[in-house]
């Protein structure tokens, strides 16, 4: 049987990388569990409620999207709509070029990764600097994030120290505080020199039109202190109906992502700074991106649109822990990625059709998910779709069942096969010409053939 | 309005039309998510939780000044609104200014600003553009001291969300800026302050 690509990746992984990811995810997961249990008697009820809120949003986007657009405009915010990754990149570029922006600072946006924005802007002569510490390292290393919340979970401090030395930020020193201090002072110059800031959005409240951005490092806050233009890049599913719903979602997000009661910087932005204020952007533009989300909405996997990108399902997943993020060959790794990546691929679905099979369906991802997404169910639906249209990637690692299903669908043949099965008892497996079968039967015996027993019983049962 | 906008909206409508029923918006009780702290008053609870998230609580003007003196910092920023009350109390050699010059941004070791409130449940300081107009002050120096009016400490996140001021920029700060990106080791002071201090003061 051919190996799945993810198994191949895992088999070739350096041991140090695997243990870095394993230890890192395990520690976060355990801390999260302690935290939730300590403060909440009914964490499960909260998860389910949060899930309902987000499912409600997803199923009412037809109403909420026009509403939030009106709210944002009332705050003096420009609103743009983009169907595809290409159109989103082009729109961002157009906005930046129209204002003569040469230097951009970015605070972590997965959507930016998804649409390949940084490379695109670079090719058009706009410097775009990642300001999240992990993302910054990923960018200068021309690497890819391997975790939604901790982009460089796969790297050791020695690798990070080597990177800093290479880009001229001091001589080699692998002390994490020294590394952090060096990046702090390097990026400070970038913030102050930038013409514009681009951030993602964790939530947008339809009720108030407030854009909510959370970071622990304070990088998004710094972006918005110095730059003159604030661009928000956001998926169309990121809405919440009311401000009060944020009490639940912010709480669950911080606890699920990093086991904190609240993320350090939680920012609510409702438009550009007021006139007469010293700091802050004087213009704000929000770019809503579809890029396959409406297709997801039309599919039986729409529940994945609830996701708040907390990373808890990665931390708990036995496959992610062993295989690490890069094994998923896409921006979103782990269980959430196994659902999102094939769906986001659109017509190239078959290329990622193996990912839904990179799961033992143990259900841990669903248990930790702060918005209660039934990930195992979605994976099964995608496996079924993979069978229909997945091509070779979807079949790897699955026994060919064609002959079986052909026989099973024909009663006469099925009965004959059941009778013929008795011959198995007489076959000397130890002499079989297949080495794998010989090895298997060395220490094992097949149970005696019982094919047809149920049918016999059914035919002769006494009817009451 | 753009063509793409109409296309997206049409796709959304088409995707949702076949749903036989749609999930209703649940009504949930905010008291559920902040159980178990009915006893303490908001100020006491805030101080306790602020300490838990790595904050430094200061209880009086004297306490603030003694703490600053102990740090031995040479230069800092003070919000102009607080200046009349605090001037003359700073340690003698300390240079304190009431305007923040970007060219000298790395010289300021600390900044004292006026907060708009706090959240007891999470030990969070609330800053707004109206009360803290110099965003960089609360962010760039190594230490940030927020002066919090005692009457504006909200019990919980839910209470704070129910009383959001009408301000284009509200930021909740819960402890020092931090990261665990490198091998999961916690480091404070990444882009923002490495020290968050707060003085809960009587309303003036
Ligand atoms: S699927 Fe759930 S657990 Fe996974 S990242 Fe999204 S919200 Fe978090």
């Amino acid at each position: 049987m051919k190996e799945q690509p993810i198994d191949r990746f895992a088999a070739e992984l350096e041991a140090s990388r695997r243990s870095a990811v394993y230890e890192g995810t395990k520690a976060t997961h355990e801390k999260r569990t302690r935290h939730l249990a300590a403060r909440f008697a009914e964490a499960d009820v909260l998860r389910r409620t949060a899930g309902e809120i987000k499912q409600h949003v997803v199923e009412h986007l037809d109403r909420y999207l026009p509403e939030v657009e009106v709210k944002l405009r009332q705050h003096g915010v420009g609103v743009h709509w983009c169907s595809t990754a290409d159109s989103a990149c082009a729109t961002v570029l157009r906005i930046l070029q129209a204002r003569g922006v040469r230097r951009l600072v970015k605070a972590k946006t997965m959507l930016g990764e998804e649409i390949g924005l940084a490379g695109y802007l670079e090719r058009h002569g706009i410097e775009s600097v990642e300001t999240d510490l992990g993302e910054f390292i990923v960018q200068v290393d021309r690497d890819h994030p391997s975790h939604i919340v901790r982009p460089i979970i796969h790297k050791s401090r020695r690798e990070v120290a080597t990177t800093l030395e290479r880009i001229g930020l001091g001589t080699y020193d692998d002390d994490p505080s020294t590394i952090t201090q060096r990046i702090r002072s390097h990026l400070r110059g970038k913030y102050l020199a930038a013409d514009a800031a681009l951030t993602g959005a964790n939530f947008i409240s339809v009720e108030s039109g407030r854009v909510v951005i959370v970071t622990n490092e304070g990088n998004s806050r710094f972006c918005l202190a110095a730059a003159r233009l604030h661009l928000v890049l956001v998926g169309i599913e990121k809405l919440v109906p009311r401000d009060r719903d944020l009490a639940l979602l912010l709480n669950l997000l911080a606890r699920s992502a990093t086991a904190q009661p609240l993320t350090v910087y939680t920012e609510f932005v409702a438009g550009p700074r007021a006139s007469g204020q010293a700091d802050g952007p004087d213009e704000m533009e929000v770019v809503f991106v579809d890029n396959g989300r409406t297709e997801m909405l039309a599919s039986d996997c729409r529940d994945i649109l609830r996701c708040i990108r907390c990373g808890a399902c990665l931390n708990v997943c036995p496959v992610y822990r062993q295989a690490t993020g890069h094994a998923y060959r896409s921006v979103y790794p782990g269980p959430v990625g196994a659902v999102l990546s094939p769906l986001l691929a659109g017509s190239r679905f078959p290329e990622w059709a193996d990912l839904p099979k990179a799961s033992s369906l143990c259900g841990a991802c669903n248990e930790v998910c702060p918005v209660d997404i039934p990930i195992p169910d979605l994976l099964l639906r995608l496996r079924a779709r993979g069978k229909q249209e997945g091509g070779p990637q979807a079949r790897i690692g699955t026994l060919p069942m064609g002959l079986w299903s052909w026989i099973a669908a024909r009663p006469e043949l099925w009965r004959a096969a059941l009778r013929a099965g008795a011959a198995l008892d007489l076959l000397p497996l130890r002499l079989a010409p297949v080495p794998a079968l010989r090895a298997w039967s060395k220490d094992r015996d097949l149970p005696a053939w019982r094919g047809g027993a149920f049918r016999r019983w059914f035919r002769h049962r006494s009817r009451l | 309005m753009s063509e793409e906008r109409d296309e997206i909206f049409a796709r959304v409508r088409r995707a949702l039309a076949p749903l036989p029923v749609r999930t209703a918006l649940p009504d949930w009780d905010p008291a559920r998510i902040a159980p178990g702290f009915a006893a303490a008053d908001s100020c006491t609870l805030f101080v306790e939780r602020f300490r838990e998230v790595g904050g430094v609580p200061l209880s009086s003007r004297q306490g603030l000044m003694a703490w600053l003196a102990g740090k031995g910092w040479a230069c800092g920023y003070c919000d102009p609104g607080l200046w009349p009350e605090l001037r003359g109390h700073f340690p003698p050699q300390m240079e304190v200014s009431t305007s923040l010059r970007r060219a000298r941004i790395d010289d300021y070791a600390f900044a004292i600003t006026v907060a708009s409130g706090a959240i007891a449940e999470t030990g969070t300081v609330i800053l707004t553009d109206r009360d803290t107009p110099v965003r960089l002050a609360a962010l760039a120096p190594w230490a940030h001291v927020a002066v919090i009016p005692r009457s504006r400490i909200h019990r919980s996140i839910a209470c704070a969300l129910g009383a959001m001021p009408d301000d284009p920029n509200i930021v909740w700060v819960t402890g020092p800026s931090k990261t665990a990106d490198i091998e999961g080791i916690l480091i404070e002071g990444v882009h923002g302050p490495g020290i968050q201090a707060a003085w809960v003061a009587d309303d003036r």
Side-chain angles (χ1 to χ4, degrees), chain A residues 93-262:
Chain A
L93 181 67
R94 195 158 9 88
I95 297 172
L96 297 177
Q97 282 177 338
R99 289 146 186 90
V101 171
R102 311 290 314 163
R103 281 173 302 238
L104 179 78
V105 276
K106 273 175 76 199
K108 199 160 81 176
T109 135
M110 298 294 299
L111 182 51
E113 290 281 338
E114 182 187 313
I115 64 171
L117 183 65
Y120 178 88
L121 292 179
E122 214 173 282
R123 287 194 293 282
H124 288 86
I126 293 179
E127 181 193 67
S128 125
V129 180
E130 298 288 353
T131 57
D132 173 88
L133 190 147
E135 293 276 343
F136 173 75
I137 296 295
V138 160
Q139 183 180 36
V140 294
D141 277 352
R142 301 207 165 266
D143 195 353
H144 296 284
S146 72
H147 190 285
I148 294 181
V149 177
R150 292 176 51 194
I152 52 167
I153 194 169
H154 60 291
K155 282 189 198 287
S156 68
R157 68 176 99 171
R158 288 179 300 283
E159 288 175 83
V160 179
T162 310
T163 298
L164 290 203
E165 189 178 28
R166 194 191 72 231
I167 61 171
L169 297 185
T171 52
Y172 181 93
D173 186 337
D174 62 16
D175 171 40
S177 348
T178 311
I179 292 174
T180 308
Q181 285 311 312
R182 285 176 177 174
I183 295 179
R184 175 184 167 104
S185 56
H186 173 71
L187 286 180
R188 210 150 254 218
K190 297 288 182 189
Y191 289 124
L192 295 175
D195 313 303
L198 182 123
T199 71
N202 293 84
F203 307 100
I204 303 183
S205 161
V206 177
E207 175 185 43
S208 64
R210 290 197 168 94
V211 176
V212 186
I213 309 161
V214 309
T215 67
N216 271 321
E217 298 181 4
N219 50 322
S220 88
R221 179 70 183 159
F222 224 125
C223 286
L224 299 190
R228 282 297 167 228
L229 166 68
H230 179 198
L231 259 173
V232 182
L233 193 65
V234 61
I236 55 169
E237 79 281 19
K238 293 270 163 185
L239 309 180
V240 293
R242 309 163 293 203
D243 282 12
R244 58 185 288 239
D245 298 318
L246 292 167
L248 191 53
L249 289 161
L250 287 171
N251 229 310
L252 285 169
L253 173 59
R255 284 168 213 270
S256 306
T258 45
Q260 289 166 271
L262 202 56

Side-chain angles (χ1 to χ4, degrees), chain A residues 40 42 56 59 69 83 87 131 134 157 184 191 216-217 221 224 244 264 266 268 270 279 290 294, chain B residues 4-5 11 22-23 28 32-33 52 135-136 140 165 168-170 172 174 177-178 181 183 190-192:
Chain A
F40 299 132
E42 304 177 293
H56 165 83
E59 293 178 6
E69 180 183 41
S83 285
S87 136
T131 57
R157 68 176 99 171
R184 175 184 167 104
Y191 289 124
N216 271 321
E217 298 181 4
R221 179 70 183 159
L224 299 190
R244 58 185 288 239
V264 175
T266 304
F268 303 85
D279 289 342
D290 177 347
T294 48
Chain B
E4 265 180 291
R5 172 187 184 274
R11 280 200 299 271
R22 301 198 195 178
T23 308
W28 57 277
R32 271 222 155 110
I33 54 168
E52 263 178 45
R135 293 187 192 179
L136 277 173
N169 197 285
I170 303 168
W172 293 357
T174 309
S177 145
K178 62 181 165 205
D181 269 354
E183 293 189 2
V190 190
H191 305 282

Side-chain angles (χ1 to χ4, degrees), chain B residues 104-178:
Chain B
R104 289 192 58 193
I105 199 78
D106 289 328
D107 296 346
Y108 306 97
F110 68 90
I112 308 175
T113 72
V114 182
S116 300
I119 307 173
E121 176 191 355
T122 44
T124 301
V125 174
I126 303 176
L127 306 174
T128 61
D129 268 4
R130 196 191 53 233
D131 295 325
T132 321
V134 189
R135 293 187 192 179
L136 277 173
L139 199 61
W142 182 249
H144 171 228
V145 184
V147 180
I148 302 167
R150 191 181 302 277
S151 68
R152 290 210 252 154
I153 302 181
H154 302 283
R155 197 89 189 135
S156 64
I157 296 181
C159 298
L161 283 167
M164 293 284 268
D166 181 22
D167 198 296
N169 197 285
I170 303 168
V171 59
W172 293 357
V173 187
T174 309
S177 145
K178 62 181 165 205

Side-chain angles (χ1 to χ4, degrees), chain A residues 269-286:
Chain A
V269 191
R273 72 188 152 119
S275 57
Q277 292 288 347
D279 289 342
D282 43 30
E283 195 186 349
M284 180 172 174
E285 305 286 330
V286 172

Side-chain angles (χ1 to χ4, degrees), chain A residues 148 253 256 304 306-314 335-337 365-366 368-373 375:
Chain A
I148 294 181
L253 173 59
S256 306
I304 199 65
R306 288 186 220 166
C307 175
I308 57 173
R309 309 281 190 267
C310 73
C313 59
L314 280 59
V336 57
C365 46
N366 172 226
V368 297
C369 176
V371 285
D372 197 28
I373 300 177
I375 296 179

